[in-house]
Amino acid sequence: MSGSLKNVVVIGASGNVGKPVVAALLKAGGFTVTALSRKGSSATFPSEVKVHKIDDNYPSDQLIAVFKGQDVVIDLLPPIDVKLHNSIADAAAEAGVKRYIPSEFGSDTSNPKVLALIPLFSAKDDITAYLKTKESSGLTWTAIINGAFFDWGLQTGFLGFDLKSKTATIYDSGDAQINSTTLSVVGQTVVSVLQHPAETANRYVYVQSTKGTQNQILAALEKSTGSKWTVNKRTCAEASQTGGEKFSRGDMSGVVDLITGALYSGEPQTLYDETRGLDNDLLGVKQAPLEELVDKVVKGQAV
């Protein structure tokens, strides 16, 4: 089976996670990569990637037609519409796909305590639960847990740091530890999962590039930029409350507050390296010093 996961379909190949995943598959070699794209999408892909266009509502017959002869489906669509993801899983099982990688790539949704902190992640748990019902059909799955996207989180301000204005928003004490992984390492992890099919079948895998606190990130940013940063304070309770109120009104901008409120809460159950252990060694994923990663992000270097 070790050489059997070679034909890979990526759904959402042009997104923030899709691009590094596709890049890692192409760099590794030995994989035939197909991007499944909606007819209404204007997304473009590397020349080495085959592209299949289907109707925007992802009809089952068209999904099955694309999945025929494929070994792997990597589903990177936003984990909101559970029925859609389950329909994609049904099509994969019907087409004889061997491995399904769902749209996890974040907090440990297998932990009920994490779901209690971030209820909106229950959709991810529902999707994985459905995949478990497909195991008897021969469809295996792997859910990848990587914490926050470290480089993307710094570049976009998601982690609370504005590189342009040199302003930090520190939650509570700023001493809560968080797990995080760079996007390139997320891509490497996907490749390694496919290269270790038996060891990664029907389970969650856990990786991280680094672990640290907001205060440590701030110190590294000030050292790298040679500047004293402006610091604003905010409580996790306020972020969680504001995010919850927005989300309950259908305002998706509340998602950021909900996640950061939980991320920096200091709740030990969010640290999957302690509650579950890491699969870095199995998957050949190397960790790096937080200060080194911060410096590379500031300088625009690859991480």
Side-chain angles (χ1 to χ4, degrees), residues 8-27 33-36 43-46 49-50 73-78 101-105 144 146 149 152 182-191:
V8 184
V9 175
V10 183
I11 310 172
S14 63
N16 291 324
V17 180
K19 287 180 179 178
V21 165
V22 168
L25 289 166
L26 295 176
K27 182 179 179 181
V33 183
T34 298
L36 178 65
T44 58
F45 307 94
V49 175
K50 298 179 180 180
V73 169
I74 302 175
D75 177 3
L76 301 176
L77 296 177
I101 298 180
S103 189
E104 280 281 353
F105 301 100
I144 297 173
N146 51 246
F149 300 128
W152 179 87
T182 65
L183 283 171
S184 65
V185 169
V186 171
Q188 294 168 22
T189 300
V190 170
V191 169

Side-chain angles (χ1 to χ4, degrees), residues 70-295:
Q70 300 291 336
D71 301 314
V72 182
V73 169
I74 302 175
D75 177 3
L76 301 176
L77 296 177
I80 299 172
D81 186 345
V82 174
K83 287 184 178 180
L84 172 59
H85 290 272
N86 291 351
S87 175
I88 295 172
D90 286 338
E94 179 70 22
V97 170
K98 301 171 184 174
R99 178 64 54 90
Y100 196 103
I101 298 180
S103 189
E104 280 281 353
F105 301 100
S107 301
D108 181 16
T109 56
S110 74
N111 188 333
K113 294 181 179 179
V114 171
L115 294 180
L117 287 171
I118 319 176
L120 65 97
F121 281 170
S122 62
K124 292 185 176 185
D125 186 51
D126 291 343
I127 292 164
T128 304
Y130 190 73
L131 286 172
K132 292 177 181 179
T133 71
K134 295 294 174 183
E135 292 174 13
S136 60
S137 71
L139 179 66
T140 61
W141 58 274
T142 306
I144 297 173
I145 305 301
N146 51 246
F149 300 128
F150 188 80
D151 46 339
W152 179 87
L154 282 181
Q155 292 160 352
T156 63
F158 185 87
L159 291 178
F161 302 93
D162 187 326
L163 299 180
K164 198 169 185 179
S165 67
K166 296 183 176 62
T167 301
T169 300
I170 300 297
Y171 291 80
D172 291 347
S173 68
D175 290 325
Q177 296 269 351
I178 65 166
N179 308 108
S180 57
T181 306
T182 65
L183 283 171
S184 65
V185 169
V186 171
Q188 294 168 22
T189 300
V190 170
V191 169
S192 192
V193 163
L194 302 186
Q195 292 170 338
H196 296 81
E199 301 95 325
T200 60
N202 301 330
R203 59 171 287 226
Y204 289 80
V205 298
Y206 300 87
V207 296
Q208 69 177 21
S209 293
T210 195
K211 181 181 177 182
T213 70
Q214 273 197 300
N215 286 333
Q216 290 171 333
I217 294 173
L218 176 60
L221 284 167
E222 291 185 332
K223 179 179 179 180
S224 183
T225 60
S227 302
K228 189 70 177 175
W229 279 45
T230 300
V231 176
N232 299 317
K233 303 288 285 187
R234 193 182 189 198
T235 67
C236 290
E238 177 195 349
S240 296
Q241 180 178 343
T242 300
E245 290 172 352
K246 287 181 177 179
F247 189 72
S248 66
R249 298 194 302 266
D251 182 351
M252 295 306 291
S253 69
V255 170
V256 174
D257 281 337
L258 279 171
I259 295 175
T260 51
L263 185 68
Y264 292 130
S265 66
E267 295 292 341
Q269 60 262 33
T270 65
L271 299 174
Y272 55 79
D273 64 313
E274 298 178 8
T275 59
R276 305 297 195 195
L278 295 174
D279 292 295
N280 283 50
D281 290 343
L282 167 66
L283 300 174
V285 174
K286 295 182 179 180
Q287 298 191 59
L290 182 145
E291 189 174 281
E292 175 186 314
L293 292 178
V294 167
D295 191 52

